[in-house]
């Protein structure tokens, strides 16, 4: 059995990297990715979150695990807003015509189970959180029953 607690998940995705007519220049991509990762680490750390995954152009972070605060949901929203704003600021520093990258973020709070001796966080009640980004739509957070796809 594990520890039950409230956990808030922040998902953030870079868009504009290669979606059809607006493909980012490979040299610019080479500089954008480390900037995004460093920005993500700084922002998540500022709000005392935990990065679960930072691969490619996507970030998943927890607030409320491993350290819980009374205002973790607020911290998660601030994390998401700061990530979007700072990516926008990084773009403002780039030369015109080099391609634009934007960030989208989503936040979800729910009851989770922390497995003993593990860093794995499972959403309680047999559900898991699935964060999906589509280039032509807003971010969607969908709760699916475990095992359904």
């Amino acid at each position: 059995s594990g520890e039950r607690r409230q956990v808030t998940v922040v998902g953030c995705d870079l868009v504009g990297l290669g979606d059809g007519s607006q493909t980012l220049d490979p040299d610019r991509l080479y500089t954008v990715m480390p900037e995004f990762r460093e920005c993500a680490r700084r922002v998540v750390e500022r709000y005392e979150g935990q990065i679960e995954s930072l691969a490619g152009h996507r970030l998943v972070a927890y607030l409320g695990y491993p350290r819980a605060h009374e205002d973790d949901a607020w911290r998660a929203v601030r994390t998401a807003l700061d990530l979007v704003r700072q990516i926008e600021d990084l773009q403002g520093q780039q030369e015109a015509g080099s391609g634009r990258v934007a960030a989208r973020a989503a936040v979800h709070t729910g009851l989770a189970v922390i497995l003993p001796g593990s860093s794995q966080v499972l959403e309680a009640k047999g559900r898991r959180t699935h964060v999906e980004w589509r280039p032509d739509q807003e971010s969607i957070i969908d709760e699916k029953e475990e095992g359904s796809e």
Side-chain angles (χ1 to χ4, degrees), residues 1-3 65 114-120:
S1 122
E3 174 191 353
Y65 171 78
I114 313 300
L115 300 177
S118 170
S119 63
Q120 192 171 11

Short mmCIF file of all heavy atoms in Angstrom, two decimals, residues 1-3 65 114-120:
data_model
loop_
_atom_site.label_atom_id
_atom_site.label_comp_id
_atom_site.label_asym_id
_atom_site.label_seq_id
_atom_site.Cartn_x
_atom_site.Cartn_y
_atom_site.Cartn_z
N SER A 1 0.85 -1.18 0.00
CA SER A 1 0.00 0.00 0.00
C SER A 1 0.89 1.23 0.00
O SER A 1 1.99 1.22 0.50
CB SER A 1 -0.95 -0.09 1.18
OG SER A 1 -0.85 0.98 2.06
N GLY A 2 0.40 2.30 -0.57
CA GLY A 2 1.19 3.51 -0.68
C GLY A 2 0.56 4.66 0.08
O GLY A 2 -0.49 4.53 0.70
N GLU A 3 1.21 5.79 0.01
CA GLU A 3 0.73 7.00 0.67
C GLU A 3 -0.18 7.76 -0.28
O GLU A 3 0.18 8.03 -1.42
CB GLU A 3 1.94 7.89 1.03
CG GLU A 3 1.56 9.23 1.57
CD GLU A 3 2.74 10.18 1.67
OE1 GLU A 3 3.88 9.76 1.44
OE2 GLU A 3 2.48 11.36 1.96
N TYR A 65 4.57 16.66 -4.57
CA TYR A 65 5.40 15.48 -4.41
C TYR A 65 6.81 15.82 -4.86
O TYR A 65 6.96 16.43 -5.92
CB TYR A 65 4.87 14.30 -5.23
CG TYR A 65 5.84 13.15 -5.23
CD1 TYR A 65 5.92 12.31 -4.13
CD2 TYR A 65 6.72 12.93 -6.28
CE1 TYR A 65 6.84 11.28 -4.10
CE2 TYR A 65 7.63 11.90 -6.25
CZ TYR A 65 7.69 11.08 -5.17
OH TYR A 65 8.59 10.08 -5.12
N ILE A 114 1.51 7.34 -3.75
CA ILE A 114 2.96 7.27 -3.86
C ILE A 114 3.36 5.88 -3.38
O ILE A 114 3.12 5.51 -2.23
CB ILE A 114 3.66 8.33 -2.99
CG1 ILE A 114 3.02 9.71 -3.16
CG2 ILE A 114 5.15 8.35 -3.27
CD1 ILE A 114 3.04 10.26 -4.56
N LEU A 115 3.99 5.11 -4.25
CA LEU A 115 4.38 3.75 -3.89
C LEU A 115 5.60 3.79 -2.99
O LEU A 115 6.54 4.55 -3.24
CB LEU A 115 4.67 2.94 -5.15
CG LEU A 115 3.50 2.80 -6.11
CD1 LEU A 115 3.91 2.04 -7.35
CD2 LEU A 115 2.33 2.11 -5.42
N PRO A 116 5.64 2.97 -1.92
CA PRO A 116 6.78 2.98 -1.00
C PRO A 116 8.05 2.54 -1.71
O PRO A 116 8.04 1.63 -2.54
CB PRO A 116 6.38 2.00 0.09
CG PRO A 116 5.17 1.30 -0.38
CD PRO A 116 4.62 2.01 -1.56
N GLY A 117 9.16 3.22 -1.40
CA GLY A 117 10.46 2.88 -1.97
C GLY A 117 10.56 3.17 -3.45
O GLY A 117 11.43 2.66 -4.14
N SER A 118 9.68 4.03 -3.95
CA SER A 118 9.66 4.32 -5.38
C SER A 118 9.40 5.81 -5.58
O SER A 118 8.85 6.47 -4.71
CB SER A 118 8.54 3.52 -6.05
OG SER A 118 8.34 3.94 -7.37
N SER A 119 9.77 6.32 -6.71
CA SER A 119 9.43 7.70 -7.04
C SER A 119 8.22 7.72 -7.96
O SER A 119 7.88 8.75 -8.51
CB SER A 119 10.62 8.39 -7.71
OG SER A 119 10.92 7.75 -8.94
N GLN A 120 7.54 6.58 -8.10
CA GLN A 120 6.40 6.48 -9.00
C GLN A 120 5.16 7.06 -8.33
O GLN A 120 4.84 6.76 -7.18
CB GLN A 120 6.16 5.02 -9.37
CG GLN A 120 5.19 4.86 -10.50
CD GLN A 120 5.14 3.43 -10.99
OE1 GLN A 120 5.67 2.53 -10.37
NE2 GLN A 120 4.51 3.23 -12.11
#
